[in-house]
Amino acid sequence: MAVTVREINGAELEEIIEKGKVLVDFYSKTCGPCKMLSFVLKDVAKGIDATEIVMLDYDVNKEAVEKYGVGGYPTMIYFEDGQEVERMKGLQQKPAILRMIKA
C-alpha cells in the first residue's frame, strides 16, 4: 500500500487533520532542505497506508503558520484526530519520520 504526498492550502488543513493520522510538512519553495525533504517524504509514502502526508507552503499560508506556531521551515507536524502528537524541524531522514508516524 502507499499514500500520495499532496499539496494543500490553509483552508483545507483543518478539515484534513480532523480525521485520522496526518503528517503536515510546512515548507518553502525557495528552501533547499525543504526540496530534499519532499523526496524523503515521497519515499516514506511508498511504504505506509494509514497516514496521510500533505505539504503546506509556508510563504502562502501565513494564517496556518501562525495558528500552529511554526517558526521556520521545513517543519513537520504529526496529527492524530486533530491533535498534535509530535513535531520535527529541519531536514529529517526516513527512519526518523517513520518513528514519528508509527509511535
Side-chain angles (χ1 to χ4, degrees):
M1 297 298 225
V3 298
T4 302
V5 179
R6 64 187 177 100
E7 187 163 343
I8 63 167
N9 61 43
E12 296 172 286
L13 180 62
E14 296 306 314
E15 181 180 325
I16 290 170
I17 65 172
E18 286 302 315
K19 53 186 176 184
K21 300 174 181 181
V22 182
L23 179 64
V24 182
D25 172 29
F26 290 84
Y27 79 101
S28 173
K29 291 179 180 169
T30 61
C31 163
C34 298
K35 291 175 185 175
M36 290 186 285
L37 182 60
S38 73
F39 290 110
V40 176
L41 290 175
K42 287 176 184 168
D43 191 36
V44 168
K46 292 177 187 175
I48 62 171
D49 60 2
T51 302
E52 188 170 1
I53 301 175
V54 296
M55 299 175 67
L56 193 75
D57 190 330
Y58 182 97
D59 300 315
V60 177
N61 298 284
K62 293 294 185 187
E63 191 173 302
V65 166
E66 289 176 16
K67 178 175 182 177
Y68 292 100
V70 177
Y73 46 78
T75 296
M76 291 178 291
I77 304 177
Y78 177 61
F79 293 92
E80 284 187 13
D81 299 321
Q83 300 297 313
E84 181 177 332
V85 175
E86 191 171 340
R87 177 182 296 230
M88 289 182 159
K89 296 179 181 178
L91 177 60
Q92 302 292 327
Q93 297 303 314
K94 183 177 179 178
I97 296 169
L98 288 172
R99 275 193 302 275
M100 178 171 66
I101 63 177
K102 295 187 179 189

